Amino acid sequence: MVSLYKAKAKPSRLGQQIKLQIDNLDYEANGISRYQQKIAFVSGALPGEQVLASVTEDKAEYLKARTIKVLQQSADRVEPFCPSFTRCGGCQLQYLSAEQQRLYKQQGVQALLCHQLGLQTLPWQPMLSAADRHYRRKARIGLWYDKKQRQLTVGFRQAGSKQLAEVTHCDVLAAPLQPIFASLKQVVPRLSRPESVTHAEVILADEQPVVVIRHVAALTAAEQQAFVSVWPDASWYSEAEPGKFTSWQNADQPLRYTLAEQGISLEFAADDFIQVNTDVNQLLVSQAVAWLAPTAEDTILDLYAGMGNFSLALAKSAKLVHGVEGLSKMVQQATENAQLNQLQNVHFWQADLHLPWGKTAWNQPIYQKVLLDPARAGAEGAVKQLLVLKPAQILYVSCNPATFARDAKVLLAAGYQLQKLAGVDMFPHTAHLELMALFSRQ
């Protein structure tokens, strides 16, 4: 019998604590180091620091680790402003000032894009940013009631865990939404079945606080009134079934936000996607209009149009705008928003943009300009089909630099030039950096 040699599997370093010297940051603001011939990505570490880190992943070519202790500190490190920082998983970069966060995030994206696209320089424009506190107008708050201890936890998920971190105040949540924590703590423990309330969604619709209570058992009229009484300035809704909202105050007023610079109002449902940063969304829309500079001769295509956040603003100056969105519910909302704003030159269609487009009313080579704003997966299928339309300009809004790099490579290979690029700090104190890029055909 032939005996085949089989090398012994190398022992995993998972859970081990190792010392690392941090050289740089990647595009997700993780420290970059080297450990025994492997590259190591280290959360919570800064360039120039020496840290003690716990290994969380051990792959063939790289390690991932989490900083446990900073042994040699960078001059850029600051004291986190939030007392929940070490427990809450929401704001990973509070150990940097907001200005330094933006600098490091852009540097990481710069390295990624230059490497992936084979470019030496990038046409950076000023970053879009606004206040780094009280900016968030929508958030999902978790609740967990321990029946044995008769204790309620209200807060956000801990980093890398399904467990909740207790939060009584959140400095990134819009100021009018702050009463939510005390309100939930006061009412939920008094319910007949407090464990039935699992989440609360808070939304600032223009200046009106809105709360959606998600629960798995019926709440009595008295229990509903208890929520309303503790915070009467808020509009309270229940969501006993996904997508079905019931007002507890018999006031089914539509939720709405305003793009003041364009004079546009957009209505939305509580479970619709909206950009959570009010001020940065306004900057984003205004810059999209400025960069594309629509005229009365332009026909514009807006892909992944949502409920019309960009489409309606562009339609203010364009000859015609066609918006395409994957969710029929959002197409209906966008159509109603066009009617609300009395815009007759914008039309919306439903289509899965990652599948073959086929012959449709909107898939025609009639566009001078195109805007696309895909989800984190990017627009891999759509970009290749978009090239057939041969628009002169393409404005790509991205929430994932990695998939943006993949799609931008396709555009550059087809003869487009990257004319302008800007970072968008939609989520201060996180590693997240969005991008806006303008491509022009040679």
Side-chain angles (χ1 to χ4, degrees), residues 109-168:
V109 172
Q110 163 95 11
L112 171 74
L113 296 183
C114 286
H115 175 71
Q116 293 291 327
L117 303 180
L119 299 175
Q120 298 298 314
T121 60
L122 297 173
W124 286 109
Q125 308 298 307
M127 186 175 293
L128 300 183
S129 65
D132 66 292
R133 309 279 182 96
H134 303 301
Y135 68 81
R136 194 176 181 103
R137 63 177 168 186
K138 187 175 185 180
R140 188 183 190 190
I141 298 169
L143 293 94
W144 173 255
Y145 184 76
D146 188 326
K147 290 191 286 186
K148 290 184 178 180
Q149 301 292 327
R150 295 185 178 182
Q151 184 172 347
L152 176 68
T153 301
V154 178
F156 301 109
R157 283 187 178 181
Q158 299 177 22
S161 171
K162 292 183 179 180
Q163 299 297 315
L164 289 180
E166 181 77 30
V167 174
T168 58

Side-chain angles (χ1 to χ4, degrees), residues 343-419:
L343 293 169
Q344 308 298 322
N345 63 330
V346 55
H347 307 285
F348 295 93
W349 284 269
Q350 188 276 330
D352 187 335
L353 291 167
H354 301 284
L355 298 178
W357 292 353
K359 292 184 179 180
T360 65
W362 58 268
N363 184 22
Q364 305 291 336
I366 59 174
Y367 305 104
Q368 293 76 42
K369 298 165 183 178
V370 173
L371 185 147
L372 64 158
D373 182 16
R376 289 189 61 79
E380 186 172 19
V383 165
K384 294 176 182 178
Q385 298 181 84
L386 172 59
L387 293 174
V388 178
L389 303 181
K390 298 181 179 179
Q393 292 182 308
I394 298 173
L395 186 68
Y396 194 134
V397 180
S398 168
C399 59
N400 185 344
T403 54
F404 168 79
R406 178 200 64 206
D407 297 340
K409 193 180 298 184
V410 175
L411 296 177
L412 295 176
Y416 283 85
Q417 289 183 334
L418 180 55
Q419 186 178 352

Side-chain angles (χ1 to χ4, degrees), residues 2-13:
V2 178
S3 178
L4 299 177
Y5 170 77
K6 186 176 181 180
K8 291 183 179 179
K10 293 184 178 180
S12 172
R13 299 181 181 86

Side-chain angles (χ1 to χ4, degrees), residues 25-337:
L25 292 186
D26 69 3
Y27 77 97
E28 293 182 316
N30 293 307
I32 300 175
S33 184
R34 286 277 175 183
Y35 184 78
Q36 296 183 357
Q37 312 305 316
K38 287 187 180 182
I39 190 169
F41 299 98
V42 190
S43 64
L46 294 174
E49 290 187 334
Q50 185 183 72
V51 301
L52 182 66
S54 175
V55 177
T56 56
E57 288 187 38
D58 186 2
K59 302 297 184 182
E61 296 180 350
Y62 67 88
L63 296 172
K64 286 190 176 181
R66 174 178 54 85
T67 298
I68 297 173
K69 185 177 182 181
V70 179
L71 304 175
Q72 182 178 333
Q73 183 171 297
S74 166
D76 291 332
R77 186 174 286 271
V78 299
E79 188 69 22
F81 58 81
C82 178
S84 302
F85 172 71
T86 57
R87 295 175 287 109
C88 177
C91 298
Q92 312 98 319
L93 298 184
Q94 284 187 32
Y95 51 83
L96 280 168
S97 68
E99 293 78 14
Q100 286 296 112
Q101 290 174 30
R102 292 191 283 268
L103 176 64
Y104 276 121
K105 287 193 284 189
Q106 182 164 308
Q107 287 176 351
V109 172
Q110 163 95 11
L112 171 74
L113 296 183
C114 286
H115 175 71
Q116 293 291 327
L117 303 180
L119 299 175
Q120 298 298 314
T121 60
L122 297 173
W124 286 109
Q125 308 298 307
M127 186 175 293
L128 300 183
S129 65
D132 66 292
R133 309 279 182 96
H134 303 301
Y135 68 81
R136 194 176 181 103
R137 63 177 168 186
K138 187 175 185 180
R140 188 183 190 190
I141 298 169
L143 293 94
W144 173 255
Y145 184 76
D146 188 326
K147 290 191 286 186
K148 290 184 178 180
Q149 301 292 327
R150 295 185 178 182
Q151 184 172 347
L152 176 68
T153 301
V154 178
F156 301 109
R157 283 187 178 181
Q158 299 177 22
S161 171
K162 292 183 179 180
Q163 299 297 315
L164 289 180
E166 181 77 30
V167 174
T168 58
H169 178 83
C170 177
D171 270 339
V172 301
L173 196 62
L177 300 178
Q178 295 296 335
I180 185 59
F181 301 104
S183 300
L184 294 172
K185 291 287 282 189
Q186 184 173 338
V187 177
V188 174
R190 306 203 315 258
L191 302 176
S192 59
R193 292 186 60 186
E195 71 279 3
S196 68
V197 178
T198 59
H199 297 88
E201 192 93 19
V202 287
I203 307 164
L204 189 60
D206 277 340
E207 296 303 315
Q208 176 61 42
V210 176
V211 185
V212 179
I213 297 294
R214 292 186 166 92
H215 52 97
V216 295
L219 300 174
T220 68
E223 288 175 330
Q224 295 172 12
Q225 187 57 41
F227 283 102
V228 174
S229 297
V230 77
W231 189 11
D233 290 337
S235 297
W236 291 85
Y237 294 81
S238 68
E239 187 184 16
E241 297 180 36
K244 293 185 178 180
F245 305 98
T246 303
S247 170
W248 290 345
Q249 294 142 301
N250 297 317
D252 277 324
Q253 297 296 322
L255 308 186
R256 182 179 293 185
Y257 72 84
T258 303
L259 294 171
E261 290 189 18
Q262 286 74 36
I264 290 173
S265 291
L266 294 102
E267 293 183 354
F268 61 96
D271 57 347
D272 285 344
F273 170 81
I274 62 171
Q275 296 285 11
V276 301
N277 192 320
T278 303
D279 293 338
V280 172
N281 182 58
Q282 177 66 79
L283 294 173
L284 195 66
V285 172
S286 295
Q287 182 153 286
V289 173
W291 282 13
L292 281 178
T295 70
E297 288 75 43
D298 287 333
T299 299
I300 300 176
L301 178 64
D302 181 11
L303 302 178
Y304 311 93
M307 59 185 185
N309 191 54
F310 290 106
S311 308
L312 303 186
L314 293 169
K316 283 276 189 171
S317 303
K319 174 184 176 182
L320 180 65
V321 175
H322 287 169
V324 186
E325 164 59 35
L327 297 176
S328 56
K329 175 177 179 288
M330 298 294 276
V331 172
Q332 179 62 33
Q333 188 67 72
T335 300
E336 293 175 3
N337 282 331

